[in-house]
Amino acid sequence: MAADDLVHDPSRNTSEDDDPLRRVRLEKLAALRDMGIEPYPVTFSRNAEAADLDKRHADLAAGAETEEHVRIAGRIRAMRNSGMFIDLHDASGKIQIFCHKDHLSTEQLTLVRLLDIGDLIGVEGLVRRTPRGELTVNATEVTLLAKSLRPLPEKYHGLADIELRYRQRYLDLIMNPQSRETLRRRSRVVAAMRAFLLARGYLEVETPMLHTIPGGAAAKPFITHHNALDMELFLRIAPELHLKRLVVGGLADKVFEINRCFRNEGLSPRHNPEFTTLELYEAYADYTDMMSLTEQIVAHVAEASAGGLHLSYGGTQIELTPPWPRRSMAELVREHAGVDFLAIEDAAAARDAAKKLGCALQGNESWGHSLEAAFAARVEDKLIQPIHVTGFPRDISPLAKADRNDPRLVERFETYVYGWEIANAFSELNDPLDQRARFEAQMLARAAGDEEAQPLDEDYVTALEYGLPPCGGLGLGIDRLVMLLTDSPSIRDVIAFPTLRPR
């Protein structure tokens, strides 16, 4: 039995001495070096990829040969007849390699016999199509580019352990074409998003990841320490306050950042402590403009990355074609739970109503927190098709302008698809006195035990006192959007290296 015929479990934590598969490969490595072959050379010049060759020779008849001399490189994924036939995979696809004594020297044939599945090789040779129709390169020279010391998982079962796929993403990407396509589509989503905004006059900017005050969202931050300055710093939970400072300064009327945020919270299929968002601000716009912009961005990236606006997620059909419905939070709660929170005047009565709907409350929640809890418990998971939920309570939205008709509410919306929030947007609060009062209310809530209440940022209030123009702001969750566009059940599927619990 060949060494690679043994079932290899890549999760085994074995030493060099007691792993027979690795030991065989180390022996081959030594044999290669004894032959004067460097198993890890510096470079290899190639002039073709598998997909290019397949496209270029799509009309090549079975049994036909060409005079095209190519240099290709990739990973060995299968070997047959003692290496006479090799399936070589590169980033674009697969091509067969034919290694025969008619075309290779004795030394080259010895090298081929020392190759294993998983090795990276470069091949020089002529292109032909076999009588069975397989596009093939007749190898005239084979170069070892990297000797793989660990066998790949057994090919017929692949890398089935979900946890192992996330911990050893490199193996997952080697073995699972779907994982590669998911992360490539993520890249197309981000590229399409960026191109869309740049074409519309937005300026891309960068703001700090290390903050002296954790602001811009209701969340628990990660805390670190700067030794030289002997000061506590917080990993960014949101870029909002810095981005609006740039608008105050007149850097541009339209700015955006595709940014990494960090929140010291739990793990779930939809939550990772480190995640990516698009955040943008546009002067002289309001939250209704942001609704239209959200629809345009999502539709554009869906077309660019998934080829259309009709998706299937988890077997559910979702239609992304704009425009999307706009419904208030209180209206949806009244429709799905039968309680009209707008008719409730005080916080205690709102808490009682929320408790009757099955909401778990601490007992000191405000009117707005009770409405939000009722919405989360009775409405969220029913919002399958895209919808903008408006009419958020003022007391849970300290950075949004007050509603023009009801002072209990603000001009804010969240966009839901498949029961998830994918976007959050405001007419931005630009009254510095109102902003200070909102921050002070947040500080009182923090003192009462709300760990996610936002602290007062004096410098941000100072910036507002110099004048922030009327402004619309939008945050869009890139990870969740990619989940929808790739039919991925977990956020860990769309993040190359997700945060995982210790083994």
Side-chain angles (χ1 to χ4, degrees):
M1 177 182 288
D4 273 353
D5 290 334
L6 297 170
V7 176
H8 176 61
D9 177 3
S11 67
R12 288 180 61 216
N13 187 18
T14 54
S15 69
E16 293 183 17
D17 293 336
D18 61 9
D19 185 342
L21 302 175
R22 189 171 185 275
R23 190 164 58 247
V24 167
R25 293 189 174 216
L26 285 168
E27 291 169 357
K28 290 183 178 181
L29 180 71
L32 288 162
R33 285 193 160 129
D34 288 344
M35 293 170 60
I37 295 173
E38 172 50 58
Y40 303 100
V42 174
T43 188
F44 180 84
S45 177
R46 59 179 182 169
N47 61 13
E49 292 186 340
D52 295 333
L53 293 176
D54 194 53
K55 183 177 179 180
R56 200 152 64 231
H57 297 288
D59 298 328
L60 187 65
E65 298 186 359
T66 75
E67 295 300 318
E68 183 178 6
H69 193 270
V70 297
R71 290 172 61 86
I72 59 175
R75 188 182 298 276
I76 297 173
R77 289 296 308 278
M79 301 176 72
R80 298 176 295 281
N81 294 4
S82 300
M84 182 182 293
F85 294 98
I86 292 173
D87 287 348
L88 189 71
H89 288 228
D90 63 18
S92 73
K94 173 185 82 99
I95 192 165
Q96 179 171 266
I97 308 300
F98 181 62
C99 300
H100 194 270
K101 63 182 180 181
D102 291 346
H103 310 294
L104 293 172
S105 67
T106 301
E107 183 181 29
Q108 284 275 290
L109 289 170
T110 302
L111 165 62
V112 169
R113 285 193 288 272
L114 292 172
L115 296 177
D116 291 295
I117 292 172
D119 288 352
L120 291 158
I121 62 171
V123 176
E124 188 172 349
L126 296 174
V127 179
R128 71 179 175 99
R129 193 174 293 280
T130 67
R132 294 186 176 183
E134 185 83 13
L135 192 66
T136 300
V137 174
N138 281 352
T140 57
E141 185 173 355
V142 176
T143 303
L144 179 61
L145 302 179
K147 183 67 181 168
S148 174
L149 300 183
R150 297 181 183 272
L152 299 177
E154 198 271 321
K155 66 180 180 180
Y156 293 107
H157 298 95
L159 194 61
D161 185 327
I162 296 295
E163 188 76 9
L164 187 61
R165 285 174 52 196
Y166 301 139
R167 291 191 185 279
Q168 294 183 284
R169 182 66 88 184
Y170 43 88
L171 272 184
D172 178 38
L173 294 172
I174 291 171
M175 301 303 298
N176 296 319
Q178 184 58 48
S179 295
R180 296 195 296 273
E181 176 55 27
T182 293
L183 294 182
R184 288 170 181 169
R185 189 174 292 182
R186 179 192 177 103
S187 179
R188 294 196 294 271
V189 166
V190 173
M193 203 174 276
R194 175 177 280 113
F196 178 91
L197 293 170
L198 292 174
R200 284 156 181 78
Y202 282 81
L203 179 70
E204 184 170 13
V205 298
E206 294 176 295
T207 61
M209 284 193 182
L210 291 173
H211 290 186
T212 55
I213 298 173
K220 295 179 183 177
F222 287 95
I223 304 172
T224 187
H225 186 82
H226 191 290
N227 292 335
L229 296 176
D230 190 23
M231 63 186 294
E232 192 173 66
L233 291 171
F234 306 89
L235 291 185
R236 171 170 66 194
I237 59 175
E240 176 168 346
L241 303 187
H242 285 89
L243 287 170
K244 287 192 283 190
R245 285 176 170 98
L246 296 179
V247 179
V248 168
L251 178 66
D253 288 338
K254 297 190 283 189
V255 298
F256 78 96
E257 182 174 10
I258 295 173
N259 62 90
R260 196 66 57 83
C261 294
F262 307 85
R263 297 184 183 177
N264 199 351
E265 298 167 352
L267 300 169
S268 82
R270 286 181 285 157
H271 295 88
N272 192 68
E274 179 181 1
F275 60 98
T276 306
T277 68
L278 163 69
E279 193 143 328
L280 63 85
Y281 294 87
E282 180 174 343
Y284 316 112
D286 69 2
Y287 80 133
T288 61
D289 298 308
M290 295 298 103
M291 289 186 213
S292 298
L293 185 60
T294 301
E295 294 170 359
Q296 293 168 22
I297 292 172
V298 172
H300 177 75
V301 300
E303 290 273 17
S305 65
L309 300 180
H310 186 79
L311 305 178
S312 176
Y313 186 82
T316 298
Q317 303 307 304
I318 295 174
E319 182 57 59
L320 296 177
T321 303
W324 302 339
R326 305 176 181 192
R327 304 278 302 279
S328 76
M329 178 181 285
E331 177 187 1
L332 288 166
V333 170
R334 184 173 68 246
E335 177 182 317
H336 291 280
V339 177
D340 184 0
F341 274 80
L342 294 181
I344 298 173
E345 296 293 334
D346 62 84
R351 286 194 295 271
D352 289 341
K355 288 178 182 178
K356 290 176 182 177
L357 296 177
C359 301
L361 301 180
Q362 298 295 318
N364 59 349
E365 285 80 5
S366 66
W367 175 87
H369 282 96
S370 297
L371 171 56
E372 181 189 35
F375 173 79
R378 301 298 291 270
V379 180
E380 269 190 20
D381 61 359
K382 298 177 176 65
L383 304 178
I384 302 304
Q385 300 303 320
I387 184 172
H388 302 300
V389 178
T390 65
F392 272 68
R394 177 184 179 126
D395 45 12
I396 65 168
S397 310
L399 299 171
K401 265 188 181 296
D403 184 89
R404 292 167 227 194
N405 300 310
D406 188 334
R408 294 177 297 177
L409 307 177
V410 293
E411 294 197 351
R412 172 185 175 187
F413 73 88
E414 288 184 350
T415 304
Y416 284 79
V417 183
Y418 199 75
W420 311 339
E421 173 208 341
I422 65 164
N424 183 25
F426 313 150
S427 295
E428 300 297 330
L429 178 58
N430 63 343
D431 178 342
L433 302 182
D434 189 359
Q435 184 63 82
R436 176 178 291 280
R438 304 270 198 101
F439 275 144
E440 288 172 350
Q442 288 283 296
M443 294 295 284
L444 290 174
R446 178 178 283 267
D450 184 352
E451 294 180 348
E452 295 186 353
Q454 296 188 41
L456 170 62
D457 187 331
E458 284 282 6
D459 182 74
Y460 176 67
V461 175
T462 298
L464 291 186
E465 291 188 350
Y466 283 97
L468 172 68
C471 187
L474 165 67
L476 196 154
I478 290 176
D479 306 299
R480 290 185 184 178
L481 181 58
V482 174
M483 286 176 65
L484 289 168
L485 295 176
T486 59
D487 195 13
S488 297
S490 171
I491 196 170
R492 296 187 295 179
D493 294 318
V494 302
I495 297 175
F497 300 101
T499 305
L500 299 170
R501 300 181 191 279
R503 289 181 186 270

